[in-house]
Amino acid sequence: MAAATTTEIDRTDEQKAITEMVRQFTDEQILPNAEHYDHEDEFPEPIVEQMKELGLFGVTIPEEYGGMGLDLTTYAMIVEELSRGWISISGIVNTHFIGSYLLMKFGTDEQKQKYLPKMATGELRAAFSLSEPEVGSDVQAIKTTAKKTDETYEINGQKMWVTNGLLSGLVFVLTKTDPNAEPRYKGMTCFICEKEPGAADNDGLTIPPKIKKLGYKGVESTELVFDGYKVPADNILGGEDQGLGQGFVQMMDALEVGRVNVAARGVGIAQRALELALKYSQERKTFGKPIAQHQAIQFKLADMATQVEAARLLMLRAARLKDAGERSDLEAGMAKLFASEAGRFCVEESLRIHGGYGYSKEYEIERLYRDAPLLLIGEGTSEIQRMVIGRKLLERHKI
Ligand SMILES: Cc1cc2nc3c(=O)[nH]c(=O)nc-3n(C[C@H](O)[C@H](O)[C@H](O)COP(=O)(O)OP(=O)(O)OC[C@H]3O[C@@H](n4cnc5c(N)ncnc54)[C@H](O)[C@@H]3O)c2cc1C
């Protein structure tokens, strides 16, 4: 079934062509296979291999490093399409995208030369790691430390919820290099940690078995246990001179684009829930007619379609502002908040429309129902988004 609603007039010819290509890929490769990988909680290797061939790991990486050099808006459109198929697929790309953003914006020339070409092809995949067992929202309270000994830093501490934690070859890890710094954020540094993809033991870095989750299966979420892990000073993001003490600022910058990305995932899952509801409601009959002919069901469809469109417009606006070099922190927060809540809303409405079958693993909506809540949590919960939006509003409208 074709996508029910899209703001096609807003797209350039290049954007239309690329989203059409990704939609076809989603329809042919992701949607028919997602159920299998979700039920088995298995990494979708063949799909990821095809994504490498399509260049989807290098969408925003500049052409000089072998990427496509496209903007955040086009990337968000691609993520929407992938998420319409399965948000775990967009999760595999998402932390990689954040890692490449960090390198492009803050990396030294040597760091860019070393990592970006392999990242553009997907040969090297990236993860990023802020959260810890006791800390998520309050990022400045992390406890993982990095202490200098000669030309290397030694990292000790435990990280939590690292998407792509096992299979990535590069992890951008936020640490405390000065635990006594005031304000706290000035003592935080981001390290580029190299590791062997798939290896549970990496000389001071252990990766326990993946965390069992409600949804968002297929892509692994892991802890990272650092115990005397050594990393050269050159692997501080931006180099030791420029990067020491800059980790918090760098990561918060990256989270802003990450929020546009989560908004795109919210739009994608909401769009799919709507498509499934439109189809099912015209097939299922009660009281002598398709349930779509009952006004109560039409109202649900109307509310869902309205939310999808509004979420998409917010997402595109935040992405376009960022691409134009404008301030977009407030808009990215709004897009993330609205689109992730729209995803949850549309998925639940669609599940209701499916009646008892929505509760069956035979129907796709059951997977969407388990997947959607993640978007309310990652890259800042809805409560944290409201705090960000409120703070930025007051900053912009100070009297
Ligand atoms: C599947 C999955 C994948 C993830 N992937 C990654 C990853 O790749 N890298 C990474 O670093 N992290 C990742 N995370 C972690 C995620 O970013 C955190 O879970 C999230 O930031 C929330 O932190 P927390 O779970 O510690 O909740 P807490 O911070 O403990 O919050 C608990 C509750 O309190 C609320 N709350 C907290 N502070 C306030 C406040 N001041 N006012 C009002 N309410 C408040 C929160 O909104 C939430 O409802 C992932 C999480 C999941 C579930």
Side-chain angles (χ1 to χ4, degrees), residues 128-131 135-137 161-163 216 374 377 381 383 387:
F128 87 115
S129 174
L130 285 69
S131 306
V135 178
S137 305
W161 289 120
V162 186
T163 305
Y216 199 44
L374 168 68
I377 300 167
T381 63
E383 290 76 22
M387 284 166 57

Side-chain angles (χ1 to χ4, degrees), residues 194-208:
E194 294 180 29
K195 65 185 202 48
E196 184 62 35
D201 285 306
N202 299 267
D203 268 345
L205 166 58
T206 312
I207 303 166

Side-chain angles (χ1 to χ4, degrees), residues 54 77 87 95 108-109 116 149 182 244 269 303 310 329 392:
L54 293 175
M77 289 172 180
I87 64 161
T95 62
T108 62
D109 284 345
L116 285 176
T149 47
E182 276 301 332
L244 190 69
I269 201 167
D303 286 346
D329 45 6
K392 300 288 172 192

Side-chain angles (χ1 to χ4, degrees), residues 109-362:
D109 284 345
E110 292 74 29
Q111 289 169 347
K112 289 181 197 169
Q113 290 292 350
K114 186 170 178 194
Y115 299 119
L116 285 176
K118 284 187 186 163
M119 289 175 77
T121 59
E123 181 189 340
L124 183 63
R125 288 202 293 108
F128 87 115
S129 174
L130 285 69
S131 306
E132 297 184 355
E134 291 172 40
V135 178
S137 305
D138 184 8
V139 177
Q140 294 185 51
I142 59 163
K143 292 183 177 149
T144 299
T145 57
K147 210 170 164 197
K148 192 162 187 186
T149 47
D150 304 324
E151 284 313 298
T152 62
Y153 280 77
E154 188 182 294
I155 303 184
N156 286 289
Q158 196 171 339
K159 291 291 181 182
M160 182 77 186
W161 289 120
V162 186
T163 305
N164 296 307
L166 183 66
L167 296 175
S168 53
L170 216 55
V171 192
F172 292 81
V173 182
L174 190 63
T175 66
K176 282 256 166 102
T177 33
D178 180 2
N180 301 318
E182 276 301 332
R184 295 179 297 174
Y185 74 88
K186 290 197 169 165
M188 300 172 80
T189 302
C190 176
F191 284 87
I192 309 170
C193 296
E194 294 180 29
K195 65 185 202 48
E196 184 62 35
D201 285 306
N202 299 267
D203 268 345
L205 166 58
T206 312
I207 303 166
K210 66 184 180 187
I211 302 165
K212 293 193 174 135
K213 297 170 295 193
L214 168 71
Y216 199 44
K217 309 244 182 185
V219 54
E220 80 283 5
S221 308
T222 71
E223 294 167 55
L224 299 179
V225 183
F226 291 95
D227 184 8
Y229 176 82
K230 293 210 167 26
V231 55
D234 286 349
N235 278 34
I236 290 178
L237 179 63
E240 194 173 24
D241 289 347
Q242 300 293 322
L244 190 69
Q246 293 301 311
F248 182 77
V249 175
Q250 294 165 340
M251 286 292 199
M252 290 306 116
D253 187 317
L255 277 188
E256 200 176 301
V257 289
R259 283 176 183 150
V260 175
N261 172 79
V262 177
R265 297 164 84 183
V267 177
I269 201 167
Q271 170 71 41
R272 185 62 185 164
L274 171 62
E275 288 170 22
L276 294 173
L278 281 168
K279 181 166 185 290
Y280 187 83
S281 63
Q282 293 177 73
E283 290 167 354
R284 180 74 174 175
K285 291 195 175 95
T286 67
F287 301 95
K289 53 184 175 185
I291 58 171
Q293 296 304 321
H294 300 305
Q295 196 181 45
I297 300 291
Q298 278 183 23
F299 278 12
K300 282 188 190 301
L301 296 171
D303 286 346
M304 291 163 75
T306 307
Q307 293 246 342
V308 172
E309 277 300 294
R312 183 178 288 122
L313 290 172
L314 279 175
M315 175 269 280
L316 289 173
R317 180 170 151 72
R320 287 185 173 131
L321 280 172
K322 181 82 183 169
D323 286 333
E326 303 278 333
R327 205 174 149 176
S328 60
D329 45 6
L330 178 65
E331 291 75 9
M334 286 176 172
K336 197 275 175 184
L337 172 64
F338 191 86
S340 59
E341 294 287 349
R344 181 201 56 78
F345 171 80
C346 292
V347 163
E348 187 179 331
E349 290 300 90
S350 185
L351 179 109
R352 288 174 194 260
I353 288 173
H354 281 74
Y357 288 108
Y359 211 64
S360 154
K361 284 205 178 281
E362 299 288 310

Side-chain angles (χ1 to χ4, degrees), residues 30-47:
I30 303 179
L31 280 168
N33 296 307
E35 181 186 330
H36 163 78
Y37 291 109
D38 170 72
H39 289 185
E40 300 299 319
D41 195 3
E42 184 184 324
F43 187 76
E45 188 74 47
I47 298 177

Side-chain angles (χ1 to χ4, degrees), residues 359-373:
Y359 211 64
S360 154
K361 284 205 178 281
E362 299 288 310
Y363 280 73
E364 192 184 327
I365 191 65
E366 182 268 347
R367 169 170 58 79
L368 272 57
Y369 190 74
R370 287 182 287 104
D371 283 347

